[in-house]
Amino acid sequence: MAGGRKKQKVKWSKLYTFSCLHPQTNEGDPTSFAVTAPSAQSFIGQPGYSRVVFCNEPHIHKLKPYKYPNNYVSTTKYNIVTFFPIALFEQFRRVANLYFLLAAILSVAALAPFTPVTVISPLVFVVGISMLKEAMEDWNRFLQDLKVNARKIKVHIGNGEFVERSWKEIYVGDVIKVNKNDYFPSDLLLLSSSYEDGLCYVETMNLDGETNLKVKRSLEATLSLDGDEQFSKFLATVRCEDPNPNLYTFVGNLELENEYHPLSPSQILLRDSKLRNTDYIYGVVVFSGPDTKAVRNSTRSPSKRSRVERKMDHVIYVLFAMLILISMVSSIGSTIFTKTEAVKWYYLELERSADSSFDPSKLIVSCLLQFIRALVLYGYLIPISLYVSIEVVKVIQAMLINKDQNMYDEVTDKSVVARTSNLNEELGQVEMILTDKTGTLTCNQMEFRKCSIEGISYGGEITEIDLAASRRMNIEVERYRFSLGGYDPTGRSLEMFEFSMAEPATEKMVLGLEQGVETPNATTPRNSITRRDSSVIKGFNFRDDRLMDKMWINRSNVSDMMMFFRVMALCHTGIPIEDGKNDKLKYEAESPEEVSFLLAAQEFGFKFCHRTQSMMVVEELDPSSGMDIKREYKLLNLLEFNSTRKRMSVIVRNENGDLFLLCKGADNVILDRLADNGRTYQQATTAHLSNYAEDGLRTMLFAYKKIKTDEYEKWNSQFTKAKATIGPEREDLLENASEMIEKDLLLLGAVAIEDKLQGGVPECIDKLAQAGFKIWLLTGDKKETAVNIGYSCSLLRHDMKQVHLTLSKEAESKNLMKVMREDILGQIERYYQMVIQEDAKNRPFALIVDGRALEIALSNDIKDQLLRLAVRCDSVICCRVSPKQKALITRLVKQHTGKTTLAIGDGANDVGMIQEADIGVGISGMEGMQAVMASDFSMPQFRFLERLLIVHGHWCYKRISKLILYFVYKNAAFGLTLFFYDILTTSSGQVLFDDWYIVIFNVLLTSLPVISLGVLEQDVSSAVCLKFPTLYQQGPKNICFSWKRIIGWILNASFTSLAIFAINISALSPAAFTQGGEVADIGHIGAITYTCIIWTVNCQIALIINHFTWISHLLIWGSIICWYIFLFLCGVIPPDHSKTGFHLLTEAIGPTAMFWIVTLLAVVTSLVPYFIHIAIQRSFFPMDDHLIQEMEHFRMDIVDGPMWLKEQQKSKEKIKIGFSARVDAKIRQLKEQLHRKKKTNL
């Protein structure tokens, strides 16, 4: 065999009892296929089932009629051919750009008041910048595609030789070799593996979110292909279904040596899943690139626009309506003046004029031409540079987000990445967060945390919730909690806690005078029975001196403890692996729980060393001698775990010939199977299970029984007969046989496993809850697991009323859609009424929806009722959710609530949800790139969502809102000045300003300060944002971009333009302008009025800005200086080019006092309304950020600590989920217990 690799001898298929390795039959469903379903065979060759794959002959699939795409996958929006037409279409969907395109066309006509270059050049600049930004973002997507497509894999090139090729060079029919922990590059037909019977383990978490490994097995006909050289003459043909997005079905057959072999999903390895616990596999490519099921499940990234940007379009419509209105006023005024007055002025000779704009005989034509001229003249009322300025600002904002060191993860060497900058401000308006569980909240690691043996709980480390409550109540919570329940967690006689009223601090706490709020991870002494070790074992986070370091041998009833550890060491499907670093072993198994059990057993002195087909070897600690002794156990039967059985059992024979059934499983399943004499520890164990579950830990019970030889032989004969049965009744026979032996068990105890959360998840969710977010958990895991995680991350708390929406057994047994629909609808209505009635009591509710119930609710007309109930609950958890259901739920939440939604996930199964949400966030963890490539933002850890939303989202929303409002203000002030001058000049179409003044207004003199506002503005610092998360609510409430504010800024602009125009005309027109008695002409008035506008709009932005930097000062005051420099440079250009600007500053207006006086007077007058408004608002109607700014400015966080804390407490008053809410609930519980205890004692 190539490479000298030795085949692994364990034939795993011989260990399995139930149907995990057998083809499934789904009668009546053409998409299922099995040996016993010949009906599926008939679909081959029909439409939808016409694909033919020639194995080991990829050259055939490069030519018609069997030409299939290669393995290249693209997520880009454009290519070289489509970029310009699509990008231009996207740009001119914007109403402002469309208007300026029309204005540019009209500027070529003779009636235009401006030269064509002054209108066309800004449009080209704006559209060009926007298209360049689109090209850069799509280029980044292209680079990510290159990275994925350049991954290497070994491909057979003939004569048994395998060479490395990139993924994109793989074709249908290629035979490839995938090594352990590598991803499958395409959809493969499994031919053989490193195991002798062709079995392999596959991790599909990146596809369906499930952490348990899936077992795949090749056909027996291809088992002989066990080495590189075996493929030199291998030829076969696969006929199967056409490409489709169904992840769990496959129909096809394999023609090998003139024999047909049916194929099922058990032989198919999907792209983006990973090979685990198997050294290598050989497979042939069936679907490649865009034909693979994973890619078929993903869609092109939709074009998303933020709510602010969509509202901005409506603002443009308002400005456009103003433009039409004032254009109509000008055109009608011009027509009336032409008809009544201008015809009397004989020297104009209007009857002989070639200009139809003032033809008294054609008034309608004259009115229309004047209207068109006015549209172009007042066009600067529409801010053409608004879009490009926003584009530039958003790109820089995205760069700052990418460079934020507080969102960098050193472990993965990754940081938050804004993959698109279109949605920066949308981050500040999110109200609903829909999150995946596995890989998003959790880090795909299981840790052994606690156990209960013989009714005694071990691993007494208390939770952060208990610690925080303990600090605030000055009591030892762990000791007190167990003593109240009557169970001693330490197994020793602990002194009962007595409440002492002599302690003032404690008295205050009980009376409800709490001080401050604790946060997770604060330094606190641990329970005395625990200790921290410097050496941390991955998967084993258990500390208890009573069990560690062989101390358990001193306990009473050691035999039951040994049996407990034997269940842990023997009841599994794990494989031991040499570590190489020390004498301890590592393990691989189907589920991470089994790995944690094996690690725990090893630490307790029961090391699982070796297994063969029928033998298991455990190195056990002998209590009598204290020595490690190797013992062999003969494995007779393995009844594996599945979602229906919810338990696993093994039957073993020890060296003395004794037979034991060792069983582990869910508490309700095991408790129902206990013998009457096996319930000794049931009451204590059940209490411990409740506490473990409240702490968010997964729990499982251990039990055993001794079997008599004759009983076993009788049962085994029936079991063997059932196992050999072929047909649909096989499963029932096996289940009945299992029920016969898995009864009359003796309870040993329980274990508690932590599905380890990513660092900072509880704290992040706590802050998000304080900021007003509603968080829904959508997971493919079972309900029990999802609820445990809900407790771990504080989405659930012990006093929360849990509403479980699940299909009743009666309705499920009838299997009629009408009955099931009525059952679900009845539950929804009943729960909704309950929530309404309890709402007045402010009681928290959590809705937990099972996958089957969710499927029925979403597929019928009751989805609106479901959403109505869900949005009234404080927490929502949906279990067993498929990828399509995640996307559908996201869409329904958007439509039903109208709120901005954010979806976050890490796998390909989350792509639909991510793309459907207003904002999609992908976790760039260790599991593939599908979610990241489909996302708008990517981050290495969930905890960074806190800073991304509460800090950057808040800042970006306020920045963009201020930027748009300021743009409306400055352009309206500028455009209305032209309108007032046109009215003064009898609507003649005369332009007050030079053409180049108009060009540089938006491009040079007012553009850079706006960018500084959009990039650097901060109402409060990032630290204050995180201390006062309620500030975030300004975004969802849209306080900063409401129509009230928009109209207010338009009115402010109207006053500014009128004040500037009136002051300039009244000051400059009636009197001499210079000492020589010269009056001001249009060049003088235009330049002075323009100067007043430049000063006013730049001073206005200085008043808007809260956070000044040297860059802000440079750009604001530098823009004003640039105007004077421009005016000076115009003055030195010959008059043929500078026209009225020749020596205008140095000789005409600069030396006159009137120029400077008018400028000062106009600026001060224009800014008075804003001064009055802000003074009244801050004095009598202050917003939250105003109060915090003043408190921070006057150092009240130091001078007046209680007031600072009081303001912080406001964000925690109404929250019902999160760490703080759980601590408050725990304190209320402890107070009630204390008062009850005091009353009992009295």
Side-chain angles (χ1 to χ4, degrees):
M1 186 173 170
R5 189 186 297 272
K6 184 179 180 181
K7 291 287 280 188
Q8 298 184 35
K9 295 297 182 182
V10 178
K11 292 189 177 181
W12 289 102
S13 57
K14 300 291 179 66
L15 296 177
Y16 286 88
T17 299
F18 296 94
S19 59
C20 62
L21 292 177
H22 301 280
Q24 299 292 319
T25 303
N26 190 3
E27 295 179 4
D29 184 359
T31 61
S32 68
F33 191 80
V35 180
T36 57
S39 59
Q41 186 84 10
S42 62
F43 287 95
I44 302 300
Q46 300 298 320
Y49 302 87
S50 59
R51 193 176 186 90
V52 180
V53 178
F54 297 96
C55 302
N56 219 8
E57 297 178 288
H59 58 278
I60 296 178
H61 298 296
K62 298 178 183 179
L63 303 171
K64 292 182 178 181
Y66 299 108
K67 184 177 181 180
Y68 301 129
N70 63 10
N71 205 45
Y72 183 84
V73 173
S74 173
T75 61
T76 57
K77 292 171 64 175
Y78 312 105
N79 57 39
I80 296 176
V81 176
T82 62
F83 174 72
F84 277 99
I86 296 178
L88 284 172
F89 173 75
E90 290 289 334
Q91 292 304 314
F92 288 108
R93 285 173 61 188
R94 294 170 168 172
V95 63
N97 288 352
L98 193 60
Y99 163 74
F100 277 100
L101 176 63
L102 177 63
I105 296 171
L106 294 175
S107 68
V108 183
L111 56 85
F114 305 127
T115 57
V117 66
T118 59
V119 180
I120 295 173
S121 56
L123 177 65
V124 172
F125 176 76
V126 167
V127 172
I129 292 293
S130 297
M131 289 178 64
L132 178 63
K133 177 242 181 189
E134 282 288 316
M136 289 174 60
E137 289 187 348
D138 212 49
W139 178 256
N140 289 332
R141 295 190 192 98
F142 173 71
L143 293 178
Q144 285 187 333
D145 290 342
L146 285 182
K147 185 177 180 180
V148 172
N149 289 311
R151 290 176 178 173
K152 298 296 183 181
I153 199 73
K154 288 186 176 180
V155 182
H156 183 239
I157 60 171
N159 299 322
E161 184 180 354
F162 283 76
V163 298
E164 280 196 346
R165 283 185 184 169
S166 59
W167 279 22
K168 65 181 179 181
E169 296 174 327
I170 296 174
Y171 288 86
V172 171
D174 271 325
V175 174
I176 65 175
K177 183 177 182 179
V178 182
N179 292 319
K180 183 178 178 180
N181 294 329
D182 285 345
Y183 288 100
F184 301 120
S186 52
D187 292 350
L188 310 176
L189 170 63
L190 176 62
L191 298 175
S192 64
S193 76
S194 58
Y195 291 111
E196 199 173 59
D197 55 354
L199 183 141
C200 71
Y201 289 103
V202 175
E203 182 181 83
T204 61
M205 185 174 56
N206 202 30
L207 295 175
D208 56 20
E210 294 188 12
T211 55
N212 289 350
L213 301 183
K214 307 297 188 299
V215 182
K216 301 286 185 175
R217 186 186 180 192
S218 67
L219 296 172
E220 291 187 10
T222 60
L223 288 179
S224 60
L225 302 170
D226 58 355
D228 293 0
E229 65 279 357
Q230 302 295 329
F231 289 93
S232 58
K233 297 181 181 180
F234 168 67
L235 293 175
T237 304
V238 175
R239 291 179 173 83
C240 64
E241 62 186 26
D242 293 338
N244 62 75
N246 299 320
L247 295 174
Y248 308 107
T249 62
F250 183 80
V251 178
N253 60 38
L254 175 70
E255 181 185 353
L256 178 63
E257 297 177 352
N258 297 323
E259 290 186 7
Y260 288 88
H261 306 275
L263 300 174
S264 73
S266 296
Q267 286 88 45
I268 299 301
L269 308 173
L270 300 181
R271 178 188 172 105
D272 284 326
S273 51
K274 182 189 284 188
L275 183 65
R276 298 295 298 273
N277 294 2
T278 312
D279 290 337
Y280 62 87
I281 63 99
Y282 292 101
V284 63
V285 177
V286 178
F287 298 121
S288 60
D291 289 345
T292 58
K293 292 179 181 285
V295 176
R296 289 261 169 171
N297 268 279
S298 64
T299 57
R300 292 279 181 178
S301 298
S303 180
K304 298 180 181 180
R305 299 182 70 202
S306 69
R307 291 179 177 236
V308 169
E309 190 173 347
R310 292 197 296 269
K311 191 170 185 177
M312 184 177 70
D313 286 345
H314 293 92
V315 175
I316 298 297
Y317 297 148
V318 171
L319 294 177
F320 195 72
M322 286 181 59
L323 172 62
I324 292 174
L325 178 63
I326 63 177
S327 297
M328 288 176 64
V329 170
S330 287
S331 59
I332 293 171
S334 175
T335 303
I336 294 172
F337 181 78
T338 300
K339 180 180 180 181
T340 58
E341 298 294 333
V343 291
K344 300 177 184 178
W345 298 351
Y346 66 91
Y347 54 84
L348 295 178
E349 298 183 345
L350 296 179
E351 291 83 356
R352 294 188 231 172
S353 174
D355 189 356
S356 300
S357 302
F358 299 96
D359 190 345
S361 62
K362 300 178 181 179
L363 292 177
I364 295 178
V365 175
S366 174
C367 182
L368 180 61
L369 292 176
Q370 285 289 3
F371 177 75
I372 294 174
R373 176 180 288 179
L375 281 178
V376 179
L377 176 62
Y378 307 143
Y380 281 86
L381 192 68
I382 309 294
I384 184 175
S385 59
L386 171 60
Y387 287 111
V388 71
S389 296
I390 287 180
E391 299 282 5
V392 172
V393 163
K394 286 184 175 181
V395 168
I396 301 175
Q397 285 177 350
M399 292 170 61
L400 293 177
I401 290 173
N402 297 345
K403 299 296 183 182
D404 189 343
Q405 293 184 356
N406 291 308
M407 295 194 294
Y408 168 74
D409 183 41
E410 294 182 355
V411 176
T412 59
D413 193 29
K414 294 179 182 178
S415 61
V416 172
V417 176
R419 301 187 71 251
T420 177
S421 58
N422 292 336
L423 303 173
N424 295 349
E425 69 276 19
E426 193 84 333
L427 292 170
Q429 293 193 283
V430 177
E431 293 182 79
M432 305 285 295
I433 297 177
L434 309 178
T435 176
D436 177 42
K437 180 190 76 71
T438 306
T440 304
L441 297 177
T442 63
C443 54
N444 308 324
Q445 294 178 16
M446 296 293 176
E447 287 190 342
F448 188 91
R449 291 297 304 273
K450 297 184 180 184
C451 63
S452 172
I453 309 174
E454 300 174 343
I456 300 173
S457 180
Y458 298 94
E461 184 174 283
I462 65 177
T463 65
E464 298 288 351
I465 303 296
D466 292 337
L467 287 171
S470 173
R471 282 193 293 269
R472 287 171 56 182
M473 294 200 60
N474 285 345
I475 63 173
E476 183 66 37
V477 177
E478 182 78 357
R479 176 184 299 183
Y480 181 68
R481 181 176 74 178
F482 281 90
S483 60
L484 278 176
Y487 307 112
D488 183 353
T490 64
R492 303 185 182 116
S493 175
L494 291 179
E495 185 181 24
M496 182 72 73
F497 172 81
E498 293 294 342
F499 180 67
S500 172
M501 293 302 292
E503 298 181 31
T506 309
E507 180 181 1
K508 287 182 180 179
M509 294 301 175
V510 175
L511 293 176
L513 304 175
E514 299 95 338
Q515 300 175 359
V517 174
E518 303 299 333
T519 57
N521 298 334
T523 305
T524 303
R526 295 293 188 183
N527 191 307
S528 60
I529 64 170
T530 66
R531 61 180 174 81
R532 282 291 181 189
D533 224 306
S534 58
S535 59
V536 177
I537 301 170
K538 185 177 180 181
F540 184 76
N541 190 11
F542 178 92
R543 300 293 180 270
D544 196 321
D545 293 337
R546 295 167 295 163
L547 293 187
M548 298 296 292
D549 300 326
K550 304 180 181 181
M551 295 301 294
W552 60 267
I553 63 177
N554 300 320
R555 309 291 295 176
S556 60
N557 202 0
V558 174
S559 59
D560 277 354
M561 298 197 79
M562 293 181 66
M563 190 58 70
F564 182 91
F565 296 140
R566 285 195 184 108
V567 174
M568 205 180 283
L570 293 170
C571 190
H572 59 82
T573 58
I575 310 167
I577 298 173
E578 295 288 343
D579 192 349
K581 298 179 181 178
N582 50 45
D583 60 344
K584 292 187 177 181
L585 297 175
K586 288 186 176 180
Y587 300 95
E588 290 184 348
E590 282 186 39
S591 68
E593 291 98 331
E594 288 192 338
V595 174
S596 64
F597 290 155
L598 289 169
L599 290 171
Q602 181 174 228
E603 293 300 313
F604 294 140
F606 283 70
K607 183 197 293 186
F608 172 60
C609 302
H610 179 64
R611 85 180 307 152
T612 64
Q613 197 68 37
S614 60
M615 190 69 68
M616 303 178 77
V617 180
V618 178
E619 188 178 281
E620 298 183 0
L621 175 63
D622 182 33
S624 58
S625 64
M627 303 293 291
D628 293 330
I629 301 173
K630 281 194 176 182
R631 291 196 171 99
E632 292 186 354
Y633 294 87
K634 187 172 183 180
L635 178 62
L636 301 177
N637 300 93
L638 185 149
L639 309 178
E640 72 274 5
F641 188 97
N642 61 39
S643 58
T644 304
R645 286 170 38 78
K646 296 184 178 180
R647 64 190 184 278
M648 175 185 177
S649 299
V650 293
I651 300 176
V652 297
R653 177 182 283 123
N654 65 13
E655 294 170 337
N656 297 327
D658 298 324
L659 292 172
F660 292 95
L661 180 139
L662 310 179
C663 184
K664 64 181 181 185
D667 52 0
N668 58 331
V669 174
I670 301 297
L671 292 175
D672 290 343
R673 287 165 172 75
L674 295 180
D676 291 338
N677 63 338
R679 300 178 182 271
T680 308
Y681 314 122
Q682 180 174 342
Q683 186 181 4
T685 304
T686 304
H688 296 157
L689 286 175
S690 177
N691 288 327
Y692 297 162
E694 187 182 317
D695 293 341
L697 303 177
R698 294 190 188 187
T699 58
M700 191 174 286
L701 290 181
F702 285 1
Y704 83 105
K705 80 169 184 178
K706 192 173 182 179
I707 308 174
K708 296 179 181 178
T709 304
D710 56 345
E711 178 189 356
Y712 171 74
E713 290 177 353
K714 181 180 177 181
W715 172 83
N716 192 43
S717 63
Q718 293 181 334
F719 182 72
T720 305
K721 183 179 178 181
K723 197 171 182 181
T725 303
I726 298 177
E729 69 277 7
R730 180 179 187 273
E731 297 295 318
D732 292 334
L733 292 173
L734 285 169
E735 185 58 38
N736 292 335
S738 300
E739 291 284 352
M740 292 172 57
I741 198 70
E742 292 175 319
K743 63 180 182 180
D744 297 330
L745 305 177
L746 304 178
L747 181 64
L748 291 169
V751 289
I753 304 297
E754 180 183 15
D755 191 353
K756 191 169 178 58
L757 293 174
Q758 292 181 7
V761 167
E763 299 92 315
C764 175
I765 288 178
D766 188 49
K767 286 291 185 185
L768 294 176
Q770 293 176 35
F773 292 94
K774 281 205 166 185
I775 304 173
W776 290 18
L777 177 62
L778 311 181
T779 176
D781 277 343
K782 60 185 179 181
K783 183 166 69 175
E784 294 83 359
T785 303
V787 170
N788 288 338
I789 290 299
Y791 278 113
S792 295
C793 61
S794 298
L795 288 176
L796 300 176
R797 62 192 219 208
H798 75 278
D799 65 334
M800 185 176 274
K801 175 66 176 176
Q802 292 185 17
V803 175
H804 292 262
L805 187 62
T806 182
L807 202 61
S808 66
K809 291 184 178 179
E810 181 182 354
E812 193 171 11
S813 62
K814 294 181 180 179
N815 200 27
L816 293 173
M817 181 55 69
K818 182 180 179 182
V819 176
M820 293 188 290
R821 177 190 175 279
E822 291 175 353
D823 178 50
I824 295 300
L825 182 59
Q827 291 184 54
I828 291 175
E829 291 298 333
R830 185 169 67 254
Y831 293 147
Y832 183 74
Q833 294 301 322
M834 183 194 304
V835 173
I836 294 296
Q837 292 171 5
E838 296 287 340
D839 193 42
K841 300 178 183 177
N842 204 31
R843 184 174 183 180
F845 277 85
L847 176 64
I848 291 98
V849 188
D850 187 66
R852 183 68 173 139
L854 183 65
E855 181 183 353
I856 294 168
L858 294 179
S859 61
N860 286 280
D861 56 351
I862 58 177
K863 51 181 174 285
D864 289 335
Q865 288 90 330
L866 173 64
L867 265 295
R868 184 183 63 170
L869 170 64
V871 296
R872 293 298 295 262
C873 294
D874 302 290
S875 184
V876 178
I877 298 176
C878 299
C879 321
R880 294 293 186 192
V881 184
S882 68
K884 287 188 177 180
Q885 286 177 334
K886 286 185 178 182
L888 180 57
I889 292 170
T890 306
R891 185 186 312 149
L892 290 175
V893 169
K894 284 170 53 181
Q895 294 172 351
H896 184 87
T897 65
K899 297 177 180 178
T900 304
T901 60
L902 180 147
I904 178 169
D906 73 317
N909 61 316
D910 302 314
V911 167
M913 174 177 73
I914 287 171
Q915 293 183 337
E916 190 65 50
D918 294 305
I919 301 174
V921 179
I923 299 292
S924 55
M926 304 182 346
E927 302 305 328
M929 294 290 289
Q930 285 285 331
V932 170
M933 289 192 291
S935 66
D936 306 303
F937 297 85
S938 68
M939 57 180 59
Q941 295 277 319
F942 181 89
R943 60 189 167 92
F944 296 128
L945 192 63
E946 172 189 345
R947 186 173 179 86
L948 181 66
L949 294 177
I950 296 177
V951 177
H952 290 284
H954 175 71
W955 282 348
C956 289
Y957 165 72
K958 298 203 76 171
R959 289 165 177 170
I960 296 295
S961 298
K962 283 186 175 183
L963 183 149
I964 296 172
L965 292 174
Y966 175 71
F967 248 104
V968 169
Y969 166 81
K970 75 181 182 67
N971 277 65
F974 183 69
L976 289 175
T977 307
L978 293 172
F979 169 68
F980 293 138
Y981 183 76
D982 188 61
I983 296 297
L984 181 68
T985 57
T986 63
S987 301
S988 61
Q990 183 69 42
V991 182
L992 176 61
F993 305 128
D994 184 87
D995 287 1
W996 286 107
Y997 294 1
I998 294 173
V999 171
I1000 66 170
F1001 179 77
N1002 280 319
V1003 175
L1004 178 63
L1005 300 182
T1006 60
S1007 59
L1008 296 180
V1010 172
I1011 291 175
S1012 74
L1013 170 69
V1015 173
L1016 303 174
E1017 170 65 346
Q1018 298 176 13
D1019 55 342
V1020 292
S1021 65
S1022 60
V1024 173
C1025 281
L1026 295 173
K1027 285 181 181 178
F1028 299 91
T1030 46
L1031 286 175
Y1032 183 85
Q1033 279 300 304
Q1034 293 180 351
K1037 293 177 181 177
N1038 205 15
I1039 292 174
C1040 300
F1041 198 56
S1042 62
W1043 280 110
K1044 180 180 177 182
R1045 287 209 175 193
I1046 294 167
I1047 299 302
W1049 277 100
I1050 292 175
L1051 294 176
N1052 187 22
S1054 302
F1055 175 83
T1056 297
S1057 61
L1058 184 60
I1060 291 174
F1061 177 76
I1063 290 173
N1064 275 274
I1065 294 300
S1066 59
L1068 300 176
S1069 294
F1073 179 66
T1074 64
Q1075 290 181 346
E1078 297 159 343
V1079 295
D1081 61 13
I1082 187 172
H1084 298 147
I1085 294 175
I1088 297 173
T1089 303
Y1090 192 88
T1091 303
C1092 293
I1093 292 174
I1094 294 299
W1095 267 97
T1096 301
V1097 296
N1098 280 289
C1099 288
Q1100 179 67 73
I1101 198 173
L1103 293 175
I1104 294 173
I1105 292 175
N1106 292 303
H1107 178 67
F1108 270 101
T1109 65
W1110 66 268
I1111 298 176
S1112 306
H1113 285 292
L1114 176 65
L1115 295 181
I1116 291 172
W1117 314 121
S1119 295
I1120 297 174
I1121 294 171
C1122 282
W1123 160 240
Y1124 289 107
I1125 294 173
F1126 174 82
L1127 206 55
F1128 173 79
L1129 294 176
C1130 278
V1132 299
I1133 298 174
D1136 291 341
H1137 301 286
S1138 61
K1139 299 179 182 178
T1140 58
F1142 185 67
H1143 288 182
L1144 183 64
L1145 178 63
T1146 55
E1147 295 183 5
I1149 62 175
T1152 62
M1154 184 66 73
F1155 168 60
W1156 305 103
I1157 294 171
V1158 167
T1159 300
L1160 178 62
L1161 181 62
V1163 171
V1164 171
T1165 305
S1166 300
L1167 296 177
V1168 163
Y1170 184 79
F1171 271 113
I1172 295 173
H1173 161 74
I1174 202 67
I1176 293 174
Q1177 184 184 44
R1178 282 184 174 268
S1179 299
F1180 302 104
F1181 310 101
M1183 296 168 60
D1184 289 340
D1185 56 331
H1186 295 157
L1187 294 173
I1188 294 170
Q1189 285 169 5
E1190 293 180 18
M1191 290 172 65
E1192 191 176 22
H1193 177 74
F1194 292 109
R1195 307 295 294 167
M1196 296 186 75
D1197 55 329
I1198 299 173
V1199 177
D1200 193 355
M1203 183 176 179
W1204 186 257
L1205 286 173
K1206 183 180 178 182
E1207 288 296 320
Q1208 282 185 263
Q1209 282 295 109
K1210 286 183 179 179
S1211 61
K1212 302 180 177 69
E1213 289 174 356
K1214 297 181 180 180
I1215 64 169
K1216 297 180 181 179
I1217 63 170
F1219 182 85
S1220 300
R1222 285 190 71 192
V1223 171
D1224 292 338
K1226 174 64 70 174
I1227 288 175
R1228 284 194 295 271
Q1229 180 191 30
L1230 292 173
K1231 284 180 183 176
E1232 291 172 2
Q1233 292 176 342
L1234 280 170
H1235 285 301
R1236 282 199 303 269
K1237 180 172 171 51
K1238 281 182 62 182
K1239 186 179 290 187
T1240 302
N1241 291 340
L1242 290 174

